[in-house]
Amino acid sequence: MTCFSPRALLRRQVYMPWVQVPQGRMVELPGRGSTYVTDTPGPRPDSPTIVLLHAVGCTGLLTWYPAIRPLSERFRVVTLDQRCHGRGISSDAFSLHDCADDVAALIEVLELHQVVVAGYSMGSIVAQRVWRQHPDLVEGLVLCATTDRFRSTPSERAFHQGMELTMLGLRGFSRSRTAARAARAATKALVEPSDIHEWAMAEFRSTSPWAVGQAVAALGRHHSRPWLHRIDVPTAVVVTLHDKVLPPGNQLAIARRIPGATVHEIDAGHAACVLEAEKFVPALVEACTTVHARRRDFRRRRA
């Protein structure tokens, strides 16, 4: 009988595309904290910017690393670790409102221009809130594997309500020395991306289960349906048609509620950003390019 280590099993069973992973740096957001950011230049000094927001339990690079280089052929590409994730801002509690303010602060600190905000899963929820809270900073949205609300079924409501109560009881743990030591140890464990599977595992482990639970509980309270029709910037929705986490019907419905939104469908599941990158990345590039090309028309409408 042959036995495999967890790393060996990961390599055998999970396809991870190997591409060059950009180096990042810690960036201080005044009055908020520091977060890990990558900033990949575009083809020109004045290239428009795509700010990429990652999925729950991931990091900016872990969600987006296959897409950064293709996007950089047309755009300046920025990723960040959102608060409580990876090397993001430490916080006693997770708030989508705070995440959106963090993104706005980063846009201002880096003096980004012509900004399109793209988000995947949880990141798409934060992207919606960035427009809601800071509409003057956003010139376009790309929402991937998205939704306008959770708790749409009895099972979803029960899950999110239970998660919310559990996280409320564990809130004190976030302030404990044990949690602080665990977060520091996870950050130190991050390795250079010479072995893509070990790098991915280190990135994944850099977010604590407590933080994931906090984020899931916060997502359960999200409900953007009442104001989606007010979005006045070009928007593209990348729909993962085989998604078992966020139903494709909900993704298509959000596109219908946003004025002028374009739909970009792919035959892929919820982890398509990495595990089916060969399908996802071309659709993402198409969506970002479409949104950028439509900005002038929407500016005229606003005026």
Side-chain angles (χ1 to χ4, degrees):
M1 180 177 178
T2 303
C3 295
F4 296 102
S5 68
R7 288 188 177 88
L9 286 172
L10 181 67
R11 291 190 184 94
R12 288 172 62 89
Q13 297 181 8
V14 178
Y15 167 72
M16 297 287 297
W18 193 96
V19 298
Q20 189 66 43
V21 178
Q23 293 294 315
R25 60 189 175 94
M26 298 300 296
V27 174
E28 178 72 22
L29 304 181
R32 309 192 66 80
S34 298
T35 187
Y36 186 75
V37 173
T38 68
D39 189 352
T40 304
R44 300 180 309 278
D46 62 344
S47 293
T49 305
I50 302 290
V51 176
L52 301 174
L53 307 180
H54 62 76
V56 66
C58 295
T59 64
L61 283 176
L62 186 55
T63 295
W64 296 107
Y65 82 92
I68 292 174
R69 187 169 183 178
L71 284 173
S72 69
E73 294 178 3
R74 305 185 185 195
F75 304 98
R76 178 181 180 181
V77 184
V78 174
T79 74
L80 76 154
D81 287 357
Q82 296 179 80
R83 60 175 53 221
C84 301
H85 287 70
R87 285 170 276 188
I89 295 170
S90 298
S91 179
D92 289 340
F94 180 89
S95 160
L96 296 170
H97 190 282
D98 286 339
C99 287
D101 286 347
D102 295 339
V103 175
L106 181 66
I107 290 172
E108 292 178 342
V109 166
L110 297 184
E111 298 181 345
L112 304 179
H113 67 283
Q114 300 180 55
V115 175
V116 172
V117 180
Y120 197 94
S121 191
M122 180 187 79
S124 75
I125 307 303
V126 177
Q128 294 172 42
R129 292 225 58 92
V130 176
W131 174 86
R132 172 77 165 165
Q133 296 166 214
H134 305 276
D136 292 341
L137 296 178
V138 180
E139 295 198 10
L141 292 172
V142 178
L143 309 176
C144 310
T146 191
T147 188
D148 56 6
R149 66 175 300 185
F150 296 87
R151 307 193 189 199
S152 57
T153 65
S155 59
E156 279 189 351
R157 285 194 292 272
F159 171 76
H160 283 283
Q161 287 169 357
M163 184 65 72
E164 195 168 355
L165 290 173
T166 301
M167 290 304 108
L168 183 64
L170 291 176
R171 177 170 292 183
F173 177 71
S174 69
R175 302 182 179 93
S176 72
R177 294 182 180 180
T178 302
R181 283 197 298 269
R184 287 195 295 269
T187 299
K188 290 180 180 178
L190 296 177
V191 297
E192 294 297 318
S194 55
D195 183 300
I196 202 68
H197 285 86
E198 290 204 9
W199 169 81
M201 184 63 71
E203 289 283 317
F204 180 74
R205 286 175 174 168
S206 67
T207 301
S208 72
W210 176 88
V212 173
Q214 282 277 332
V216 170
L219 289 169
R221 297 188 291 272
H222 170 72
H223 188 188
S224 59
R225 187 172 298 175
W227 47 264
L228 287 177
H229 67 281
R230 301 181 202 160
I231 293 178
D232 58 356
V233 295
T235 302
V237 179
V238 179
V239 179
T240 43
L241 291 172
H242 299 164
D243 204 315
K244 304 300 183 184
V245 178
L246 297 177
N250 290 4
Q251 300 179 48
L252 290 167
I254 199 173
R256 289 194 293 269
R257 292 186 176 99
I258 299 174
T262 59
V263 174
H264 308 260
E265 298 178 343
I266 56 173
D267 293 319
H270 192 68
C273 54
V274 173
L275 301 188
E276 298 177 271
E278 72 283 357
K279 298 178 182 178
F280 173 71
V281 172
L284 174 68
V285 172
E286 177 187 74
C288 292
T289 303
T290 300
V291 165
H292 177 69
R294 301 175 69 210
R295 290 179 309 113
R296 292 181 181 176
D297 291 337
F298 275 75
R299 281 179 185 168
R300 285 195 287 269
R301 291 185 195 178
R302 279 175 149 181

